[in-house]
Amino acid sequence: MGKTFRPSSRESSILSKIESTKEHVRRLAISKVRDCSEPLANGIATKLVETNLVETTNKNGLEEQILKCLNKISRLDDFEIDYQVAPFRNLVPQPQIVSLYVTAFVIEKLINHKDVVDIYGSDEDIYLTINQQVKKYMPL
């Protein structure tokens, strides 16, 4: 029979602090989206087109869709965000929540938009490109 792990009060305290720090960083990132959503949407759309990850007939339409996505994330509750990013949760070891949400949006929803011809590259390539722009506009 296996040993049951019962953390001491010290271990419980440390684990609790780690979890609360992760939640704080997550909430902070989501709240910062409101402050820089327009330049961030422009940066993401431009970089996706420049790196040939997204082929589109209208770059402005792509930017508008990403802007809507960014505005939406600030209004969603935690469950809705977790539901959207669930298939991509293990894409990278410590994902940035905004980058992961926008990646999920691009891969699952944007592919069906009338202005998007096709999406190329792996999920990880798309995430890394989006995350690069998120870090640029939203340093934490």
Side-chain angles (χ1 to χ4, degrees), residues 40-131:
L40 180 58
N42 183 23
I44 291 172
T46 301
K47 198 53 102 169
L48 287 173
V49 171
E50 283 177 359
T51 57
N52 296 320
L53 291 173
V54 175
E55 184 179 343
T56 182
T57 58
N58 182 2
K59 189 238 175 217
N60 292 333
L62 176 66
E63 183 180 336
E64 288 173 17
Q65 292 301 308
I66 293 173
L67 181 60
K68 287 179 184 177
C69 170
L70 291 171
N71 289 334
K72 185 177 180 182
I73 192 174
S74 61
R75 296 187 313 265
L76 295 176
D77 63 9
D78 287 343
F79 175 78
E80 292 171 315
I81 293 171
D82 288 340
Y83 182 77
Q84 182 74 27
V85 302
F88 306 98
R89 193 174 298 144
N90 296 323
L91 197 57
V92 291
Q94 293 180 335
Q96 206 277 357
I97 191 63
V98 175
S99 301
L100 198 59
Y101 184 81
V102 175
T103 300
F105 173 78
V106 168
I107 294 168
E108 292 184 341
K109 308 275 191 227
L110 202 59
I111 188 100
N112 298 323
H113 192 265
K114 64 179 180 173
D115 293 335
V116 175
V117 176
D118 205 354
I119 296 179
Y120 303 101
S122 67
D123 297 349
E124 189 174 355
D125 292 339
I126 294 169
Y127 172 83
L128 293 173
T129 301
I130 291 170
N131 193 43

Side-chain angles (χ1 to χ4, degrees), residues 30-47:
I30 291 170
S31 68
K32 279 188 169 191
V33 169
R34 292 182 203 136
D35 300 335
C36 63
S37 60
E38 289 183 20
L40 180 58
N42 183 23
I44 291 172
T46 301
K47 198 53 102 169

